[in-house]
Amino acid sequence: GHARGDALYLKLSDIEGDLDVMVRCARNLGNDINPGGKPYYEHGGDVETFWQNFRGSRPIFFMNQTYVRERHALIQRIVAEDEAKYGSRYPLSTTKSSTTSIPMTLD
């Protein structure tokens, strides 16, 4: 079973804060859509510059942009399938096209 007994009946973003970060990042919703939620890194589309300036540890696989794109696409598909089946906290038509996300939380 799940630590949260009602998890099977909740929207992905409502189960836990980190899952909400994943949903917002995968759907490129930004931080403003949930002001009380955990923030995640955003940048203007230049991933290489972002990583060059990033101070902190990161998984070695994040240096392989093919891996990053493919894993992000996989998470996007998983989130889309889950939200199609169980619903979403956020409108399904909402996107934030001018900003690209980096899938890492700010702690």
Side-chain angles (χ1 to χ4, degrees):
H2 193 274
R4 183 148 181 193
D6 60 349
L8 288 174
Y9 309 103
L10 296 173
K11 297 173 176 88
L12 199 54
S13 290
D14 294 336
I15 295 173
E16 206 274 328
D18 288 338
L19 290 175
D20 181 55
V21 169
M22 180 187 69
V23 168
R24 288 184 287 119
C25 178
R27 292 189 48 206
N28 201 21
L29 297 174
N31 293 312
D32 296 339
I33 197 164
N34 184 1
K38 292 182 178 182
Y40 67 90
Y41 291 110
E42 297 179 88
H43 64 86
D46 186 356
V47 176
E48 290 302 319
T49 299
F50 173 85
W51 282 124
Q52 288 170 4
N53 295 323
F54 181 77
R55 302 289 181 239
S57 62
R58 61 181 168 163
I60 194 166
F61 286 116
F62 278 31
M63 293 180 193
N64 181 327
Q65 290 305 304
T66 301
Y67 174 85
V68 170
R69 281 189 301 273
E70 289 177 4
R71 294 298 290 190
H72 193 67
L74 173 63
I75 294 297
Q76 288 174 319
R77 284 192 304 273
I78 291 170
V79 167
E81 289 172 10
D82 188 275
E83 290 188 326
K85 186 173 182 177
Y86 299 105
S88 177
R89 176 189 291 181
Y90 308 107
L92 293 177
S93 61
T94 304
T95 59
K96 191 175 173 188
S97 59
S98 63
T99 304
T100 305
S101 61
I102 294 292
M104 295 185 67
T105 59
L106 297 167
D107 286 324

